[in-house]
Amino acid sequence: MMVKELIREVKTLNTFKHYGKVTQVVGLMIESKGPQVSVGEICFIHVGPSSSRKIMVEVVGFRDEKVLLMPFDRIQEISPGSLVEATHKPLEVKLGTSLIGQVLDGIGRPLGGQKQIVTGLSSFPTENDPPNPLERPRIEEPLSLGVKAIDGLFTVGKGQRVGIFAGSGVGKSTLMAMIAKNSDAHINVIALIGERGREVRDFIERDLGPEGLKNTIVIAATSDQPALMRIKGAMTATAVAEFFRNQGLNVTLMMDSVTRVAMAQREIGLAIGEPPTTKGYTPSVFSILPRLLERSGTNEHGSITAFYTVLVDGDDMSEPIADTVRGILDGHLVLDRKLANRGQFPAINILKSISRVMNEIVSSSHKRAADRVRSLMALYEDSEDLISIGAYKRGTNRELDTAVQQYPEIIAFIKQQLDERIPLENTIYELNAKFGEGESS
């Protein structure tokens, strides 16, 4: 197998190398005169004594016949006239089953002193087209996540894409770790984009743990890394999920967070001269988001069930990135700070969350029980002020009496311990037993 790959590499080798020269560096934007390249291609800038070190860069645009480059690494030692070597190839990563349980950087290299894995890997491009919409199988089968509140009230199907909307510190990472440990997916891919360096290890060791990591690949691009590396982290994670989906597996992709991907793209857009639009975001931000998010889902081989976290400043659900992402995905879970402060975990706001495919993948009795829970919660919350000050008199409204009586049961159903795994069948049985038609009177 390795001999065949080597022969293929030799056949594709270009016997000529094409070079350009650095003419200007402004911030993270590098300008060069030549070489002849296209947008999206990888180049190397030779720096240091006798040009011994290479900095990987990507072509992001052109200006007045100059090539605009963005680095994947620090740009120290670049000087006027540094050689820019063209590869005439886009970024590719080496993927295979031996990467399961590993932590990788934004371009697929092992992190944390792990050995570079070279056996049994094949090259796979990081940027691919979404599946043909007419060739996508419909979502018809539920995926058990082991989280009662989601399985019972917002049942997720294999190949569905869901947004997790929350402010900072409301439990997004903890919920992601629960899904990774408890779901029935064959493999998990987790992308930590723009996280603080401390939080990466905390998430892997404290939240995920050895049990969660054994069938997971983690891609981490921390906040201190260049904007291009953060974007490539999201693209690489999606490519890893696509690779395993093409093997016929059901993959769970979790990305924390899409907001930081958008911020990284904004940095690049402003650097190459794009005009700022809504809240300073450039037009390319709103073109890259659908291209990234549409790559997950089903294809003829397998499925990618995706969870994308979105940071909402001050819990403002109408901010531009949240609004755009919500319009692309197949449902959203809203985590509420008020519920988190009460000690309710997961802190999912039942009345603000929705699954757009739930009605097509659950039984009619399950749907009725879930609708019953939502209607009782809505009724209770509408009258919560009256109830809390003792102004509501029992017997005035029979339906509200039922809501008051069953509210503690609803909260007990939604709450779940971090180490508790509840199969989908058990969740449905409990939901129907407590809130089914027989219990509504």
Side-chain angles (χ1 to χ4, degrees):
M1 185 65 182
M2 286 187 69
V3 174
K4 287 182 180 178
E5 287 180 6
L6 286 171
I7 292 170
R8 198 182 312 122
E9 286 285 336
V10 169
K11 284 181 177 178
T12 57
L13 280 175
N14 192 339
T15 53
F16 293 96
K17 286 191 175 181
H18 300 86
Y19 292 94
K21 287 188 175 181
V22 172
T23 58
Q24 182 173 296
V25 177
V26 180
L28 287 178
M29 184 58 60
I30 304 162
E31 282 191 16
S32 74
K33 187 175 182 180
Q36 185 69 35
V37 287
S38 304
V39 171
E41 287 185 10
I42 297 298
C43 296
F44 290 98
I45 299 178
H46 295 257
V47 298
S50 67
S51 298
S52 56
R53 188 166 81 89
K54 289 182 179 181
I55 296 175
M56 185 188 288
V57 294
E58 183 178 293
V59 181
V60 294
F62 306 96
R63 182 188 295 140
D64 299 329
E65 298 186 3
K66 297 284 181 67
V67 181
L68 303 181
L69 307 163
M70 287 287 282
F72 287 89
D73 203 351
R74 57 191 173 86
I75 60 173
Q76 279 81 358
E77 298 183 313
I78 293 179
S79 58
S82 292
L83 287 179
V84 181
E85 178 189 336
T87 64
H88 301 295
K89 290 180 181 179
L91 180 65
E92 293 186 339
V93 289
K94 298 284 188 180
L95 300 178
T97 53
S98 54
L99 293 179
I100 298 172
Q102 300 290 319
V103 183
L104 311 176
D105 70 2
I107 53 176
R109 301 174 301 195
L111 274 177
Q114 303 168 94
K115 290 182 180 178
Q116 180 75 44
I117 300 165
V118 292
T119 57
L121 302 182
S122 54
S123 294
F124 196 80
T126 59
E127 299 205 29
N128 302 292
D129 293 328
N132 185 318
L134 295 181
E135 294 177 2
R136 283 183 185 265
R138 294 186 63 195
I139 299 169
E140 296 176 335
E141 191 179 346
L143 176 69
S144 175
L145 301 179
V147 181
K148 277 198 300 183
I150 303 175
D151 284 346
L153 304 176
F154 309 102
T155 312
V156 171
K158 291 178 181 176
Q160 186 174 348
R161 299 160 306 147
V162 181
I164 300 175
F165 293 76
S168 56
V170 188
K172 297 185 305 298
S173 298
T174 312
L175 181 58
M176 281 171 46
M178 276 185 76
I179 292 170
K181 287 189 283 191
N182 298 340
S183 84
D184 283 348
H186 297 121
I187 187 169
N188 304 301
V189 179
I190 300 178
L192 303 175
I193 310 299
E195 288 281 5
R196 293 179 285 275
R198 174 188 62 80
E199 288 187 336
V200 172
R201 185 164 182 177
D202 281 354
F203 175 79
I204 292 167
E205 295 185 359
R206 181 194 63 204
D207 296 334
L208 203 56
E211 180 194 351
L213 190 60
K214 68 183 179 185
N215 68 330
T216 299
I217 298 173
V218 178
I219 289 88
T222 50
S223 57
D224 61 292
Q225 294 181 316
L228 188 62
M229 187 64 110
R230 281 174 268 147
I231 289 176
K232 289 303 175 186
M235 296 295 180
T236 298
T238 307
V240 172
E242 288 171 327
F243 174 82
F244 287 104
R245 175 179 65 183
N246 292 344
Q247 313 298 316
L249 301 179
N250 294 316
V251 184
T252 298
L253 169 65
M254 285 166 275
M255 190 176 294
D256 186 13
S257 71
V258 172
T259 307
R260 295 193 180 112
V261 175
M263 289 176 174
Q265 182 60 36
R266 177 174 63 183
E267 281 182 48
I268 292 175
L270 292 172
I272 63 175
E274 280 190 77
T277 54
T278 316
K279 285 203 173 179
Y281 289 103
T282 57
S284 61
V285 172
F286 300 101
S287 66
I288 196 176
L289 286 177
R291 202 167 75 239
L292 174 66
L293 304 180
E294 285 289 347
R295 286 170 60 184
S296 53
T298 57
N299 73 358
E300 64 271 24
H301 304 295
S303 68
I304 299 174
T305 307
F307 296 87
Y308 299 99
T309 70
V310 180
L311 288 165
V312 283
D313 296 330
D315 301 326
D316 176 18
M317 291 293 293
S318 62
E319 70 95 31
I321 299 305
D323 206 36
T324 302
V325 171
R326 192 166 59 245
I328 297 168
L329 300 179
D330 309 316
H332 54 269
L333 303 171
V334 178
L335 302 189
D336 195 319
R337 190 176 303 279
K338 187 169 67 173
L339 298 178
N341 292 340
R342 288 181 190 169
Q344 179 179 317
F345 183 83
I348 298 172
N349 189 315
I350 302 301
L351 301 179
K352 291 183 179 178
S353 305
I354 191 170
S355 170
R356 292 180 181 169
V357 302
M358 177 177 174
N359 291 350
E360 299 176 28
I361 59 174
V362 301
S363 65
S364 56
S365 60
H366 181 176
K367 181 180 179 302
R368 284 194 298 271
D371 288 344
R372 178 70 177 161
V373 169
R374 275 189 284 272
S375 66
L376 288 173
M377 284 203 74
L379 193 60
Y380 181 90
E381 291 198 4
D382 284 345
S383 306
E384 189 171 14
D385 291 342
L386 291 174
I387 296 166
S388 60
I389 64 172
Y392 174 73
K393 291 185 178 180
R394 186 175 177 85
T396 309
N397 183 324
R398 186 181 177 189
E399 194 68 10
L400 183 53
D401 289 345
T402 305
V404 172
Q405 181 185 341
Q406 291 206 299
Y407 186 76
E409 282 186 72
I410 293 171
I411 298 304
F413 174 79
I414 293 168
K415 275 188 174 183
Q416 188 170 338
Q417 298 298 319
L418 303 184
D419 56 352
E420 193 178 2
R421 182 184 188 277
I422 297 154
L424 178 63
E425 307 78 45
N426 295 15
T427 297
I428 295 171
Y429 177 81
E430 184 181 347
L431 184 69
N432 284 326
K434 288 183 176 179
F435 310 107
E437 291 179 338
E439 294 293 320
S440 60
S441 58

